Amino acid sequence: MNANANTSGNVHASHILIPAPVGIVRQILLEPTGLAEWNPAFLSVRGPSEALTGRRYPLVARGALRGHWEYVSIGETLIEGRWEVPGLAETNSWSLLPHGEGTHVTHSFTHRGSLAALLRPAFAGVADLRLDRLSGRARQRALAQVS
């Protein structure tokens, strides 16, 4: 389960041990059109299925807000991204560290903008929720590869 969630100001962070190898977790994070399947902020993300830095992927966020997602940097163990809709911009990171047969994932994000200030209370616990959903997806994928 998640521990040490940090939600000071507009910075939110948490971490979890996911029972799947780094390669599976990284693969899920690098599927832009699949982000809405586990990230509660998004209703849909369109565009090519490959992750490319600097490419803007059109998205629809909760509240039917339209904007874009983009990968800022893609490393072997660190993936950074950002998304923006009117009034809210998020920068985020996903740090992946091998831990036995699993992956220790630290997720953090920062918001800015007028809508971000208004919705600040609604983002409490979102880092945990994203990590839990990512973990479930990675666990399913890891089990499917073993079968």
Side-chain angles (χ1 to χ4, degrees):
M1 205 60 185
N2 304 343
N4 300 326
N6 172 11
T7 58
S8 60
N10 279 344
V11 177
H12 303 267
S14 192
H15 61 95
I16 192 171
L17 180 59
I18 295 179
V22 169
I24 288 177
V25 176
R26 185 175 184 277
Q27 179 184 32
I28 293 167
L29 291 169
L30 295 178
E31 295 171 347
T33 57
L35 292 173
E37 295 172 18
W38 59 269
N39 188 326
F42 305 143
L43 297 177
S44 69
V45 180
R46 296 185 329 269
S49 60
E50 62 196 298
L52 301 169
T53 56
R55 168 87 162 84
R56 290 187 171 197
Y57 299 83
L59 69 78
V60 178
R62 296 272 174 223
L65 297 170
R66 297 185 182 282
H68 69 272
W69 160 265
E70 69 180 286
Y71 291 95
V72 175
S73 69
I74 300 172
E76 290 301 312
T77 59
L78 180 64
I79 297 168
E80 296 174 307
R82 71 181 309 276
W83 62 275
E84 191 169 337
V85 295
L88 188 149
E90 175 184 298
T91 56
N92 57 66
S93 68
W94 302 85
S95 173
L96 314 174
L97 296 174
H99 185 86
E101 294 183 13
T103 305
H104 181 258
V105 180
T106 301
H107 172 48
S108 64
F109 63 90
T110 304
H111 288 143
R112 61 180 170 74
S114 57
L115 185 58
L118 181 66
L119 294 176
R120 183 175 307 168
F123 287 106
V126 168
D128 288 331
L129 182 57
R130 289 177 182 173
L131 286 167
D132 286 342
R133 289 183 174 185
L134 175 64
S135 180
R137 191 161 179 85
R139 188 172 31 251
Q140 287 177 339
R141 195 168 290 182
L143 288 172
Q145 287 186 358
V146 171
S147 302

